[in-house]
Amino acid sequence: MRIVDIREKTVSIASPIANAYIDFSKMTCSTVAVVTDVVRDGRPVVGFGFNSNGRYGQGALMRERFIPRVLEADAAGLVDEVNDNLDPFAIWRTMMTNEKPGGHGERSVAVGTIDMAVWDAVAKIAGVPLYRLLADRYRNGVADRTVWVYAAGGYYYPGKDQSKLKDEMRSYLDRGYRVVKMKIGAVPLEEDLRRIEAVLEVVGSGDRLAVDANGRFDLETAVAYARALKPYGLFWYEEAGDPLDYALQAELAEHYDGPMATGENLFSHQDARNLLRHGGMRPDRDYLQFDCALSYGLVEYMRTLEVMEGLGWSSRRVVPHGGHQMSLNIAAGLHLGGNESYPDVFQPFGGFADGVPVEDGHVALPDVPGVGFEAKAALYETLRELVD
Ligand SMILES: O=C([O-])CC(=O)C(=O)O
Ligand SMILES: [Mg+2]
């Protein structure tokens, strides 16, 4: 059993939307196919992966370092004899050969994307959905039947007035979501408060609305927003300051007793550990948003979950960033608290399996081998381009 090829391609996910820090007018992402010599249903098993929005395609790093290391390795060393399958941990170690610690910038995205494709292949070789494989291997066979999801959107874009923002949020509720998320921080506080109040008119109460500043604020601005947001009783206040400014996050907690969320821009278990040690995050109410597709994949994610456990955090406090099916599988199989969803943006990568409705804020997973990409037609069409 061996990996015979790993292919990658950079695809556009450009759109006119903006958050408080970046616009997505030139956004790209990598797609990856891990081609194996294992045959199922008369065809070679191919695992697919892609990286989440917000970091660009990582083709150069994959081509120059990570793909050659896997293809040049002794194939026997990448096999999990016990499970008669590929070994994602051995493949991960091979990819990370001769990589120094620290500085988790873009390579964590490159490795995370290949790792997603490896796990897709592993679950396909086993003939089961990935969440089932994870629950069987690591959670005594118990998987969550459905996963709580919230609808992320509410971006800034040219010509978007409050009535359009309200229409967007109403359409999420119509599609079964109970909690929605909108961007803040790209306009003055007073204007954001008017936008928030417009959305509250649609969703009804603060506990159905999360806001996301995308790391834009200095401490003073973060605190000013905290004071203004407090009376709304929001679902969470996300990424107020720079993702690596743990002191800011800790100080902010002194001014805001409602739930806060952060972590989408932390790409390793060491960074996650620093946040939990020094960021003042509160395990009884705050949320962690680590995204495997940006942070060295599921192999590293398991280390992050271990770090959390060691520091007294339930895995249920994790609601990953990224709105992709990989995190949805991890959520169901490893008992996370939920998953982000982008019903309208970042297509075809956002959203879940076709024909599986969101009901009362929860979504079920399709019963197909692997991550479930084949159950999302528009996405599968894009991924297939790597092998057709
Ligand atoms: O706008 C983005 O970069 C995405 C983001 O923060 C989120 O989904 O939480
Ligand atoms: Mg965010």
Side-chain angles (χ1 to χ4, degrees):
M1 172 182 308
R2 56 188 285 266
I3 293 173
V4 294
D5 200 8
I6 303 179
R7 301 178 195 166
E8 58 77 29
K9 188 175 169 183
T10 297
V11 301
S12 172
I13 47 167
S15 69
I17 61 176
N19 63 37
Y21 220 101
I22 62 167
D23 70 51
F24 290 78
S25 59
K26 299 227 165 20
M27 187 52 62
T28 59
C29 82
S30 283
T31 58
V32 166
V34 167
V35 184
T36 74
D37 68 350
V38 179
V39 174
R40 293 285 180 269
D41 300 325
R43 294 164 60 163
V45 170
V46 179
F48 294 104
F50 56 85
N51 69 270
S52 296
N53 72 83
R55 304 284 159 168
Y56 295 84
Q58 300 294 329
L61 293 184
M62 293 188 208
R63 285 192 302 277
E64 288 175 10
R65 306 213 297 277
F66 301 112
I67 293 174
R69 282 179 194 151
V70 175
L71 297 182
E72 287 163 13
D74 176 11
L78 305 182
V79 171
D80 169 359
E81 303 282 354
V82 175
N83 292 303
D84 193 20
N85 208 317
L86 295 171
D87 182 349
F89 300 88
I91 295 167
W92 195 96
R93 281 193 301 277
T94 303
M95 284 197 280
M96 290 297 283
T97 307
N98 289 329
E99 296 286 328
K100 291 174 87 173
H104 311 285
E106 305 267 30
R107 75 176 175 198
S108 65
V109 182
V111 171
T113 308
I114 298 172
D115 175 274
M116 187 190 294
V118 168
W119 283 99
D120 186 40
V122 165
K124 284 171 176 166
I125 290 169
V128 295
L130 179 59
Y131 70 89
R132 172 47 51 204
L133 180 127
L134 295 175
D136 287 348
R137 284 194 189 176
Y138 307 111
R139 293 292 182 272
N140 298 318
V142 181
D144 292 341
R145 214 176 45 75
T146 63
V147 175
W148 175 73
V149 288
Y150 70 94
Y155 280 84
Y156 300 96
Y157 64 82
K160 185 167 183 179
D161 57 17
Q162 282 180 18
S163 78
K164 287 206 178 102
L165 181 61
K166 288 164 84 167
D167 289 348
E168 178 192 344
M169 297 303 173
R170 199 172 290 115
S171 87
Y172 296 149
L173 299 185
D174 290 346
R175 279 177 271 177
Y177 293 93
R178 292 288 173 267
V179 175
V180 302
K181 184 166 93 180
M182 64 184 282
K183 297 300 175 182
I184 58 169
V187 297
L189 174 58
E190 290 308 317
E191 196 176 331
D192 268 339
L193 295 181
R194 284 195 294 275
R195 294 172 63 249
I196 288 169
E197 282 172 19
V199 172
L200 288 174
E201 279 174 32
V202 173
V203 299
S205 59
D207 60 359
R208 292 183 163 208
L209 173 63
V211 296
D212 184 0
N214 285 95
R216 178 80 273 180
F217 301 148
D218 59 14
L219 179 60
E220 191 187 340
T221 313
V223 171
Y225 267 78
R227 290 208 178 96
L229 295 177
K230 216 173 195 172
Y232 299 122
L234 296 179
F235 192 85
W236 73 48
Y237 174 19
E238 174 176 334
E239 235 189 4
D242 186 275
L244 292 170
D245 191 341
Y246 305 129
L248 182 153
Q249 184 66 38
E251 170 77 23
L252 187 57
E254 304 292 317
H255 300 271
Y256 193 76
D257 54 12
M260 289 195 279
T262 191
E264 70 176 67
N265 289 302
L266 300 184
F267 293 166
S268 65
H269 79 272
Q270 294 93 341
D271 282 340
R273 189 171 59 200
N274 275 338
L275 174 71
L276 302 187
R277 281 177 178 163
H278 307 298
M281 298 291 284
R282 303 152 299 187
D284 64 336
R285 77 196 81 162
D286 290 333
Y287 294 89
L288 305 170
Q289 300 174 295
F290 315 124
D291 178 349
C292 66
L294 302 177
S295 57
Y296 294 113
L298 173 54
V299 168
E300 177 75 1
Y301 216 80
M302 290 190 209
R303 298 185 192 120
T304 299
L305 291 173
E306 250 173 59
V307 161
M308 285 179 53
E309 196 182 350
L311 293 170
W313 281 76
S314 161
S315 60
R316 298 290 184 189
R317 301 313 299 174
V318 190
V319 179
H321 164 270
H324 48 77
Q325 288 166 294
M326 181 70 184
S327 285
L328 194 69
N329 276 271
I330 296 174
L334 298 183
H335 305 173
L336 307 185
N339 196 33
E340 182 166 18
S341 174
Y342 305 109
D344 290 339
V345 291
F346 307 123
Q347 295 304 320
F349 299 97
F352 309 125
D354 297 334
V356 182
V358 175
E359 287 172 326
D360 198 18
H362 289 72
V363 72
L365 287 82
D367 191 13
V368 299
V371 174
F373 302 129
E374 286 76 2
K376 191 172 189 311
L379 173 58
Y380 186 49
E381 205 160 297
T382 301
L383 296 173
R384 266 180 47 184
E385 286 172 19
L386 290 158
V387 285
D388 282 351

Tab-separated table of all heavy atoms in Angstrom, residues 127-174:
chain	number	residue	atom	x	y	z
A	127	GLY	N	-13.355	2.503	4.324
A	127	GLY	CA	-14.734	2.365	3.833
A	127	GLY	C	-15.776	2.994	4.735
A	127	GLY	O	-16.949	2.593	4.717
A	128	VAL	N	-15.371	3.980	5.528
A	128	VAL	CA	-16.320	4.610	6.466
A	128	VAL	C	-16.184	6.137	6.406
A	128	VAL	O	-15.142	6.657	6.016
A	128	VAL	CB	-16.066	4.152	7.928
A	128	VAL	CG1	-16.344	2.674	8.076
A	128	VAL	CG2	-14.650	4.493	8.375
A	129	PRO	N	-17.226	6.854	6.850
A	129	PRO	CA	-17.079	8.307	6.993
A	129	PRO	C	-15.975	8.616	8.004
A	129	PRO	O	-15.786	7.858	8.971
A	129	PRO	CB	-18.436	8.762	7.531
A	129	PRO	CG	-19.389	7.663	7.207
A	129	PRO	CD	-18.582	6.396	7.216
A	130	LEU	N	-15.274	9.724	7.802
A	130	LEU	CA	-14.157	10.051	8.696
A	130	LEU	C	-14.619	10.188	10.151
A	130	LEU	O	-13.926	9.744	11.071
A	130	LEU	CB	-13.463	11.342	8.238
A	130	LEU	CG	-12.296	11.775	9.123
A	130	LEU	CD1	-11.196	10.722	9.208
A	130	LEU	CD2	-11.710	13.114	8.640
A	131	TYR	N	-15.779	10.793	10.375
A	131	TYR	CA	-16.206	10.979	11.772
A	131	TYR	C	-16.399	9.628	12.459
A	131	TYR	O	-16.114	9.475	13.652
A	131	TYR	CB	-17.473	11.846	11.866
A	131	TYR	CG	-18.733	11.205	11.358
A	131	TYR	CD1	-19.546	10.445	12.197
A	131	TYR	CD2	-19.115	11.344	10.031
A	131	TYR	CE1	-20.707	9.846	11.724
A	131	TYR	CE2	-20.270	10.752	9.547
A	131	TYR	CZ	-21.059	10.001	10.403
A	131	TYR	OH	-22.187	9.400	9.932
A	132	ARG	N	-16.848	8.636	11.695
A	132	ARG	CA	-17.037	7.284	12.259
A	132	ARG	C	-15.674	6.678	12.621
A	132	ARG	O	-15.489	6.120	13.703
A	132	ARG	CB	-17.806	6.451	11.220
A	132	ARG	CG	-17.981	4.981	11.439
A	132	ARG	CD	-18.437	4.568	12.828
A	132	ARG	NE	-19.597	5.271	13.323
A	132	ARG	CZ	-19.879	5.402	14.637
A	132	ARG	NH1	-19.079	4.889	15.563
A	132	ARG	NH2	-20.942	6.058	15.023
A	133	LEU	N	-14.714	6.831	11.701
A	133	LEU	CA	-13.363	6.308	11.958
A	133	LEU	C	-12.757	6.960	13.197
A	133	LEU	O	-12.163	6.287	14.052
A	133	LEU	CB	-12.479	6.555	10.727
A	133	LEU	CG	-11.032	6.061	10.832
A	133	LEU	CD1	-10.681	5.166	9.642
A	133	LEU	CD2	-10.041	7.222	10.871
A	134	LEU	N	-12.930	8.264	13.330
A	134	LEU	CA	-12.359	8.974	14.486
A	134	LEU	C	-13.030	8.534	15.783
A	134	LEU	O	-12.359	8.302	16.801
A	134	LEU	CB	-12.498	10.491	14.301
A	134	LEU	CG	-11.716	11.094	13.129
A	134	LEU	CD1	-12.023	12.579	12.986
A	134	LEU	CD2	-10.217	10.861	13.304
A	135	ALA	N	-14.345	8.430	15.747
A	135	ALA	CA	-15.060	8.001	16.963
A	135	ALA	C	-14.650	6.582	17.351
A	135	ALA	O	-14.417	6.290	18.529
A	135	ALA	CB	-16.570	8.080	16.741
A	136	ASP	N	-14.523	5.693	16.350
A	136	ASP	CA	-14.157	4.304	16.649
A	136	ASP	C	-12.739	4.202	17.207
A	136	ASP	O	-12.480	3.446	18.140
A	136	ASP	CB	-14.277	3.435	15.384
A	136	ASP	CG	-15.726	3.172	15.015
A	136	ASP	OD1	-16.614	3.459	15.857
A	136	ASP	OD2	-15.988	2.706	13.891
A	137	ARG	N	-11.827	4.991	16.628
A	137	ARG	CA	-10.429	4.877	17.075
A	137	ARG	C	-10.166	5.612	18.385
A	137	ARG	O	-9.325	5.181	19.172
A	137	ARG	CB	-9.487	5.453	16.007
A	137	ARG	CG	-9.293	4.542	14.810
A	137	ARG	CD	-8.084	5.030	13.997
A	137	ARG	NE	-7.989	4.308	12.729
A	137	ARG	CZ	-7.084	4.575	11.799
A	137	ARG	NH1	-6.213	5.556	11.986
A	137	ARG	NH2	-7.046	3.885	10.674
A	138	TYR	N	-10.838	6.749	18.594
A	138	TYR	CA	-10.405	7.627	19.686
A	138	TYR	C	-11.487	7.973	20.707
A	138	TYR	O	-11.202	8.617	21.707
A	138	TYR	CB	-9.851	8.948	19.109
A	138	TYR	CG	-8.770	8.725	18.074
A	138	TYR	CD1	-8.991	9.020	16.733
A	138	TYR	CD2	-7.526	8.195	18.437
A	138	TYR	CE1	-7.992	8.803	15.782
A	138	TYR	CE2	-6.534	7.979	17.491
A	138	TYR	CZ	-6.772	8.281	16.167
A	138	TYR	OH	-5.798	8.057	15.232
A	139	ARG	N	-12.751	7.609	20.465
A	139	ARG	CA	-13.814	7.988	21.390
A	139	ARG	C	-14.754	6.815	21.698
A	139	ARG	O	-15.961	6.989	21.809
A	139	ARG	CB	-14.629	9.178	20.831
A	139	ARG	CG	-13.870	10.508	20.715
A	139	ARG	CD	-13.499	11.122	22.047
A	139	ARG	NE	-12.815	12.408	21.904
A	139	ARG	CZ	-11.499	12.570	21.757
A	139	ARG	NH1	-10.695	11.509	21.697
A	139	ARG	NH2	-10.961	13.769	21.664
A	140	ASN	N	-14.180	5.627	21.805
A	140	ASN	CA	-14.961	4.432	22.160
A	140	ASN	C	-16.190	4.229	21.285
A	140	ASN	O	-17.233	3.749	21.746
A	140	ASN	CB	-15.416	4.496	23.628
A	140	ASN	CG	-14.221	4.524	24.563
A	140	ASN	OD1	-13.259	3.789	24.354
A	140	ASN	ND2	-14.275	5.395	25.562
A	141	GLY	N	-16.080	4.631	20.034
A	141	GLY	CA	-17.164	4.367	19.081
A	141	GLY	C	-18.325	5.336	19.139
A	141	GLY	O	-19.298	5.191	18.385
A	142	VAL	N	-18.241	6.330	20.006
A	142	VAL	CA	-19.388	7.242	20.151
A	142	VAL	C	-19.166	8.515	19.332
A	142	VAL	O	-18.262	9.313	19.621
A	142	VAL	CB	-19.603	7.624	21.638
A	142	VAL	CG1	-20.804	8.552	21.767
A	142	VAL	CG2	-19.775	6.372	22.482
A	143	ALA	N	-19.990	8.692	18.309
A	143	ALA	CA	-19.930	9.921	17.503
A	143	ALA	C	-21.187	10.739	17.755
A	143	ALA	O	-22.240	10.187	18.092
A	143	ALA	CB	-19.833	9.574	16.020
A	144	ASP	N	-21.069	12.050	17.608
A	144	ASP	CA	-22.269	12.895	17.679
A	144	ASP	C	-23.061	12.708	16.388
A	144	ASP	O	-22.487	12.720	15.299
A	144	ASP	CB	-21.882	14.370	17.839
A	144	ASP	CG	-21.249	14.644	19.206
A	144	ASP	OD1	-21.440	13.813	20.120
A	144	ASP	OD2	-20.576	15.688	19.345
A	145	ARG	N	-24.376	12.572	16.518
A	145	ARG	CA	-25.226	12.345	15.347
A	145	ARG	C	-25.351	13.613	14.490
A	145	ARG	O	-25.377	13.569	13.277
A	145	ARG	CB	-26.611	11.881	15.809
A	145	ARG	CG	-27.300	10.888	14.909
A	145	ARG	CD	-28.613	10.437	15.529
A	145	ARG	NE	-29.397	11.546	16.065
A	145	ARG	CZ	-30.092	12.421	15.336
A	145	ARG	NH1	-30.119	12.303	14.029
A	145	ARG	NH2	-30.757	13.403	15.915
A	146	THR	N	-25.414	14.747	15.179
A	146	THR	CA	-25.473	16.026	14.473
A	146	THR	C	-24.496	16.991	15.148
A	146	THR	O	-24.052	16.755	16.268
A	146	THR	CB	-26.879	16.653	14.507
A	146	THR	OG1	-27.228	16.933	15.871
A	146	THR	CG2	-27.921	15.743	13.886
A	147	VAL	N	-24.171	18.070	14.451
A	147	VAL	CA	-23.228	19.066	14.966
A	147	VAL	C	-23.904	20.438	14.935
A	147	VAL	O	-24.526	20.809	13.936
A	147	VAL	CB	-21.939	19.094	14.111
A	147	VAL	CG1	-20.999	20.204	14.565
A	147	VAL	CG2	-21.233	17.731	14.162
A	148	TRP	N	-23.736	21.177	16.029
A	148	TRP	CA	-24.241	22.556	16.059
A	148	TRP	C	-23.413	23.413	15.101
A	148	TRP	O	-22.177	23.330	15.094
A	148	TRP	CB	-24.141	23.139	17.473
A	148	TRP	CG	-24.525	24.584	17.505
A	148	TRP	CD1	-25.782	25.092	17.393
A	148	TRP	CD2	-23.637	25.715	17.595
A	148	TRP	NE1	-25.736	26.463	17.414
A	148	TRP	CE2	-24.432	26.870	17.535
A	148	TRP	CE3	-22.253	25.849	17.712
A	148	TRP	CZ2	-23.896	28.155	17.595
A	148	TRP	CZ3	-21.704	27.130	17.762
A	148	TRP	CH2	-22.521	28.262	17.714
A	149	VAL	N	-24.083	24.181	14.267
A	149	VAL	CA	-23.391	25.066	13.329
A	149	VAL	C	-24.017	26.459	13.378
A	149	VAL	O	-25.207	26.603	13.661
A	149	VAL	CB	-23.446	24.533	11.872
A	149	VAL	CG1	-22.548	23.317	11.708
A	149	VAL	CG2	-24.869	24.197	11.445
A	150	TYR	N	-23.180	27.465	13.134
A	150	TYR	CA	-23.705	28.827	13.047
A	150	TYR	C	-23.342	29.403	11.683
A	150	TYR	O	-22.371	28.960	11.051
A	150	TYR	CB	-23.163	29.701	14.188
A	150	TYR	CG	-21.689	30.030	14.069
A	150	TYR	CD1	-21.267	31.207	13.462
A	150	TYR	CD2	-20.717	29.148	14.544
A	150	TYR	CE1	-19.913	31.523	13.346
A	150	TYR	CE2	-19.360	29.453	14.431
A	150	TYR	CZ	-18.969	30.636	13.828
A	150	TYR	OH	-17.635	30.938	13.701
A	151	ALA	N	-24.122	30.360	11.245
A	151	ALA	CA	-23.932	30.933	9.906
A	151	ALA	C	-23.055	32.169	9.983
A	151	ALA	O	-23.428	33.168	10.601
A	151	ALA	CB	-25.285	31.289	9.293
A	152	ALA	N	-21.886	32.092	9.362
A	152	ALA	CA	-20.955	33.221	9.355
A	152	ALA	C	-21.083	33.997	8.049
A	152	ALA	O	-21.122	33.413	6.970
A	152	ALA	CB	-19.525	32.722	9.529
A	153	GLY	N	-21.158	35.294	8.193
A	153	GLY	CA	-21.270	36.176	7.026
A	153	GLY	C	-21.200	37.599	7.535
A	153	GLY	O	-20.320	37.933	8.319
A	154	GLY	N	-22.145	38.412	7.094
A	154	GLY	CA	-22.186	39.789	7.579
A	154	GLY	C	-20.938	40.572	7.243
A	154	GLY	O	-20.494	41.417	8.018
A	155	TYR	N	-20.375	40.280	6.073
A	155	TYR	CA	-19.166	40.991	5.629
A	155	TYR	C	-19.507	42.400	5.168
A	155	TYR	O	-20.659	42.725	4.882
A	155	TYR	CB	-18.507	40.222	4.474
A	155	TYR	CG	-17.691	39.043	4.964
A	155	TYR	CD1	-18.284	37.821	5.237
A	155	TYR	CD2	-16.330	39.176	5.172
A	155	TYR	CE1	-17.540	36.754	5.702
A	155	TYR	CE2	-15.568	38.108	5.632
A	155	TYR	CZ	-16.185	36.909	5.899
A	155	TYR	OH	-15.442	35.866	6.369
A	156	TYR	N	-18.452	43.187	5.088
A	156	TYR	CA	-18.557	44.500	4.454
A	156	TYR	C	-18.352	44.299	2.955
A	156	TYR	O	-17.461	43.554	2.560
A	156	TYR	CB	-17.446	45.422	4.967
A	156	TYR	CG	-17.477	45.667	6.460
A	156	TYR	CD1	-16.677	44.910	7.314
A	156	TYR	CD2	-18.283	46.658	7.010
A	156	TYR	CE1	-16.681	45.136	8.682
A	156	TYR	CE2	-18.291	46.892	8.382
A	156	TYR	CZ	-17.484	46.130	9.214
A	156	TYR	OH	-17.485	46.356	10.557
A	157	TYR	N	-19.182	44.932	2.155
A	157	TYR	CA	-18.823	45.044	0.742
A	157	TYR	C	-19.534	46.216	0.094
A	157	TYR	O	-20.543	46.687	0.615
A	157	TYR	CB	-18.987	43.740	-0.037
A	157	TYR	CG	-20.368	43.161	-0.179
A	157	TYR	CD1	-21.238	43.632	-1.175
A	157	TYR	CD2	-20.790	42.123	0.630
A	157	TYR	CE1	-22.494	43.073	-1.343
A	157	TYR	CE2	-22.045	41.567	0.469
A	157	TYR	CZ	-22.887	42.038	-0.510
A	157	TYR	OH	-24.116	41.486	-0.674
A	158	PRO	N	-18.980	46.668	-1.036
A	158	PRO	CA	-19.485	47.899	-1.630
A	158	PRO	C	-20.987	47.823	-1.881
A	158	PRO	O	-21.482	46.821	-2.403
A	158	PRO	CB	-18.731	47.984	-2.967
A	158	PRO	CG	-17.518	47.139	-2.791
A	158	PRO	CD	-17.870	46.086	-1.800
A	159	GLY	N	-21.689	48.852	-1.480
A	159	GLY	CA	-23.123	48.916	-1.754
A	159	GLY	C	-23.976	48.137	-0.778
A	159	GLY	O	-25.186	48.036	-0.932
A	160	LYS	N	-23.339	47.555	0.245
A	160	LYS	CA	-24.135	46.746	1.173
A	160	LYS	C	-24.699	47.637	2.277
A	160	LYS	O	-23.968	48.075	3.158
A	160	LYS	CB	-23.278	45.654	1.779
A	160	LYS	CG	-24.074	44.696	2.653
A	160	LYS	CD	-23.247	43.490	2.956
A	160	LYS	CE	-24.020	42.469	3.762
A	160	LYS	NZ	-23.215	41.293	4.025
A	161	ASP	N	-25.983	47.869	2.229
A	161	ASP	CA	-26.581	48.702	3.265
A	161	ASP	C	-27.244	47.792	4.306
A	161	ASP	O	-27.181	46.569	4.219
A	161	ASP	CB	-27.574	49.687	2.648
A	161	ASP	CG	-28.659	48.961	1.865
A	161	ASP	OD1	-28.833	47.736	2.076
A	161	ASP	OD2	-29.330	49.599	1.048
A	162	GLN	N	-27.866	48.443	5.282
A	162	GLN	CA	-28.437	47.637	6.367
A	162	GLN	C	-29.564	46.729	5.909
A	162	GLN	O	-29.770	45.656	6.463
A	162	GLN	CB	-28.909	48.558	7.476
A	162	GLN	CG	-27.742	49.033	8.314
A	162	GLN	CD	-28.184	49.947	9.433
A	162	GLN	OE1	-29.350	49.977	9.793
A	162	GLN	NE2	-27.240	50.670	9.980
A	163	SER	N	-30.291	47.156	4.883
A	163	SER	CA	-31.403	46.289	4.474
A	163	SER	C	-30.845	45.010	3.835
A	163	SER	O	-31.394	43.909	4.028
A	163	SER	CB	-32.367	47.028	3.548
A	163	SER	OG	-31.861	47.099	2.251
A	164	LYS	N	-29.728	45.136	3.116
A	164	LYS	CA	-29.119	43.917	2.535
A	164	LYS	C	-28.547	43.020	3.631
A	164	LYS	O	-28.636	41.791	3.564
A	164	LYS	CB	-28.009	44.302	1.556
A	164	LYS	CG	-28.520	44.869	0.252
A	164	LYS	CD	-27.507	44.623	-0.870
A	164	LYS	CE	-28.016	45.148	-2.195
A	164	LYS	NZ	-27.428	46.435	-2.580
A	165	LEU	N	-27.939	43.662	4.638
A	165	LEU	CA	-27.395	42.890	5.766
A	165	LEU	C	-28.529	42.121	6.470
A	165	LEU	O	-28.386	40.942	6.810
A	165	LEU	CB	-26.705	43.857	6.741
A	165	LEU	CG	-26.054	43.277	7.983
A	165	LEU	CD1	-24.932	42.305	7.636
A	165	LEU	CD2	-25.502	44.408	8.876
A	166	LYS	N	-29.656	42.787	6.644
A	166	LYS	CA	-30.790	42.128	7.304
A	166	LYS	C	-31.342	40.985	6.447
A	166	LYS	O	-31.667	39.916	6.964
A	166	LYS	CB	-31.895	43.147	7.596
A	166	LYS	CG	-31.519	44.089	8.730
A	166	LYS	CD	-32.385	45.316	8.785
A	166	LYS	CE	-33.687	45.108	9.534
A	166	LYS	NZ	-34.344	46.410	9.828
A	167	ASP	N	-31.408	41.230	5.132
A	167	ASP	CA	-31.886	40.157	4.235
A	167	ASP	C	-30.981	38.926	4.340
A	167	ASP	O	-31.458	37.789	4.372
A	167	ASP	CB	-31.882	40.630	2.771
A	167	ASP	CG	-32.973	41.648	2.498
A	167	ASP	OD1	-33.861	41.808	3.365
A	167	ASP	OD2	-32.914	42.303	1.437
A	168	GLU	N	-29.663	39.197	4.374
A	168	GLU	CA	-28.703	38.081	4.470
A	168	GLU	C	-28.985	37.270	5.739
A	168	GLU	O	-29.085	36.040	5.701
A	168	GLU	CB	-27.269	38.630	4.486
A	168	GLU	CG	-26.218	37.541	4.623
A	168	GLU	CD	-24.809	38.081	4.933
A	168	GLU	OE1	-24.563	39.288	4.754
A	168	GLU	OE2	-23.971	37.274	5.373
A	169	MET	N	-29.091	37.959	6.857
A	169	MET	CA	-29.276	37.258	8.132
A	169	MET	C	-30.624	36.525	8.179
A	169	MET	O	-30.721	35.417	8.706
A	169	MET	CB	-29.148	38.248	9.293
A	169	MET	CG	-27.778	38.878	9.388
A	169	MET	SD	-26.472	37.621	9.537
A	169	MET	CE	-24.989	38.615	9.426
A	170	ARG	N	-31.643	37.168	7.605
A	170	ARG	CA	-32.961	36.513	7.570
A	170	ARG	C	-32.874	35.217	6.777
A	170	ARG	O	-33.464	34.194	7.147
A	170	ARG	CB	-33.972	37.478	6.938
A	170	ARG	CG	-35.409	37.137	7.247
A	170	ARG	CD	-36.363	38.222	6.756
A	170	ARG	NE	-36.285	39.468	7.502
A	170	ARG	CZ	-35.879	40.654	7.004
A	170	ARG	NH1	-35.512	40.745	5.729
A	170	ARG	NH2	-35.836	41.733	7.756
A	171	SER	N	-32.097	35.250	5.685
A	171	SER	CA	-32.020	34.042	4.850
A	171	SER	C	-31.297	32.910	5.595
A	171	SER	O	-31.601	31.733	5.379
A	171	SER	CB	-31.359	34.353	3.510
A	171	SER	OG	-29.956	34.247	3.600
A	172	TYR	N	-30.355	33.248	6.476
A	172	TYR	CA	-29.710	32.192	7.282
A	172	TYR	C	-30.721	31.556	8.228
A	172	TYR	O	-30.771	30.327	8.378
A	172	TYR	CB	-28.528	32.757	8.081
A	172	TYR	CG	-27.383	33.277	7.241
A	172	TYR	CD1	-26.593	34.330	7.702
A	172	TYR	CD2	-27.076	32.729	5.997
A	172	TYR	CE1	-25.525	34.822	6.942
A	172	TYR	CE2	-26.019	33.221	5.236
A	172	TYR	CZ	-25.249	34.263	5.715
A	172	TYR	OH	-24.204	34.741	4.967
A	173	LEU	N	-31.540	32.414	8.859
A	173	LEU	CA	-32.570	31.855	9.758
A	173	LEU	C	-33.539	30.984	8.970
A	173	LEU	O	-33.924	29.899	9.422
A	173	LEU	CB	-33.339	32.978	10.460
A	173	LEU	CG	-32.537	33.929	11.360
A	173	LEU	CD1	-33.475	34.906	12.060
A	173	LEU	CD2	-31.706	33.168	12.403
A	174	ASP	N	-33.888	31.439	7.766
A	174	ASP	CA	-34.809	30.659	6.930
A	174	ASP	C	-34.217	29.300	6.563
A	174	ASP	O	-34.942	28.346	6.298
A	174	ASP	CB	-35.139	31.415	5.623
A	174	ASP	CG	-36.015	32.630	5.893
A	174	ASP	OD1	-36.563	32.729	7.010
A	174	ASP	OD2	-36.116	33.497	4.996
